[in-house]
Amino acid sequence: MSDTPLRQPAFVLVRPQMGENIGAAARAMWNFGLDRMRLVAPRDGWPNPRAVALASGAGRLLDEAGHFPTTVEAVEGCTFVLATTARGRGLTKPILSPEEAMAQARDHAQAGGKVAVLFGPERAGLENDDIARANAIISVPVNPEFASLNLAQCVLLTAYEWRRQTAEIDHARVELAGGDWATALETDKLAEHYEDRLAQAGFFFPPQKAEHMKTNLRNLWSRMPLTRADVQILHGMMRQMVRWKERGD
């Protein structure tokens, strides 16, 4: 894989109406490492102080955002354009899920292409003239009885899918709080400790089932993701219970 950074898609906000939504969109983009914003004819003009207030740390995106009078000019030079809309608008277009759309966007970018994603104004979304200039439509599988997404929500969802397609993602992990995982030997010693004490207490009964019970117990320990601190606590618990029993006798 090339060490050259992958070219990001440009997120094009077409005729956005509220500065607050532009700022929230910038924040959503920067949450996922995207910083190429383009604005097409914002209703309230540009720059917009309300956008800055909502950007919350992502103001640089607003400072560097491209400002264009038309969608055609905003996507000039782009080789793969996607339009976000909940409706096909009667146009014959490939309709992609956000995941598939960003996978194709990644492939185009890796091949040296320039990608743009169009987001429509808050009230009615993109017009047919905008959608007609796109290569494909992104359709989010939302509740059909309430399909409208806030502009910033749609930006965030698309940016998240781009991140998933282009970054190393830890799908599951455990944060160790200053400790280490227990070794197999440490777990084995813990099992021996419990077996010895449980045997003294008469737990392994009847005798003919003792070995099977011990095997199940060891299997239980091996399934538990124990840290060294956990092992020490479990040893201490057993020692204390034995001491308490001996004092009671």
Side-chain angles (χ1 to χ4, degrees):
M1 184 177 292
S2 172
D3 292 333
T4 304
L6 191 64
R7 185 192 298 272
Q8 296 182 6
F11 276 26
V12 183
L13 310 190
V14 179
R15 298 179 295 280
Q17 295 172 304
M18 299 177 63
E20 292 88 342
N21 285 335
I22 298 173
R27 180 175 181 178
M29 288 175 63
W30 192 230
N31 280 149
F32 297 101
L34 294 169
D35 60 9
R36 295 185 177 182
M37 175 182 279
R38 298 179 184 180
L39 302 172
V40 176
R43 183 191 66 182
D44 296 335
W46 194 255
N48 187 316
R50 292 185 176 180
V52 176
L54 264 290
S56 186
R60 178 178 66 81
L61 275 69
L62 304 179
D63 295 337
E64 298 175 359
H67 186 204
F68 303 88
T70 66
T71 303
V72 175
E73 292 167 282
V75 299
E76 183 179 356
C78 295
T79 56
F80 187 56
V81 179
L82 295 158
T84 59
T85 179
R87 293 165 287 175
R89 305 295 184 92
L91 300 172
T92 301
K93 294 279 186 187
I95 299 177
L96 311 175
S97 68
E99 182 178 13
E100 175 61 22
M102 290 301 98
Q104 292 192 21
R106 176 203 60 211
D107 293 344
H108 277 270
Q110 287 176 338
K114 296 181 179 179
V115 178
V117 184
L118 306 179
F119 299 88
E122 296 89 323
R123 185 178 61 84
L126 293 168
E127 296 179 357
N128 276 14
D129 188 57
D130 301 309
I131 299 171
R133 303 179 189 282
N135 301 103
I137 287 171
I138 301 176
S139 180
V140 180
V142 294
N143 176 7
E145 297 180 3
F146 190 62
S148 178
L149 283 175
N150 174 273
L151 173 59
Q153 289 175 326
C154 192
V155 167
L156 184 141
L157 188 151
T158 308
Y160 165 72
E161 289 295 347
W162 171 262
R163 183 77 173 181
R164 284 213 313 141
Q165 296 296 331
T166 58
E168 293 288 337
I169 305 296
D170 288 333
H171 291 285
R173 68 176 187 271
V174 175
E175 294 285 350
L176 287 173
D180 295 313
W181 292 113
T183 66
L185 179 60
E186 289 166 339
T187 303
D188 194 64
K189 293 297 183 183
L190 178 66
E192 288 181 2
H193 184 187
Y194 272 70
E195 284 177 14
D196 292 343
R197 295 304 185 182
L198 289 171
Q200 291 174 16
F203 175 77
F204 298 111
F205 183 85
Q208 62 269 26
K209 293 186 178 181
E211 289 306 312
H212 181 66
M213 294 172 71
K214 290 178 181 179
T215 299
N216 285 342
L217 186 60
R218 285 180 178 265
N219 189 48
L220 182 152
W221 293 122
S222 68
R223 293 201 314 270
M224 297 173 65
L226 297 171
T227 65
R228 287 180 169 175
D230 295 333
V231 169
Q232 292 171 0
I233 288 172
L234 289 166
H235 276 301
M237 288 169 57
M238 179 56 79
R239 284 192 293 266
Q240 189 60 30
M241 284 190 290
V242 171
R243 293 190 189 106
W244 173 79
K245 179 63 171 62
E246 291 172 347
R247 285 198 301 269
D249 292 341

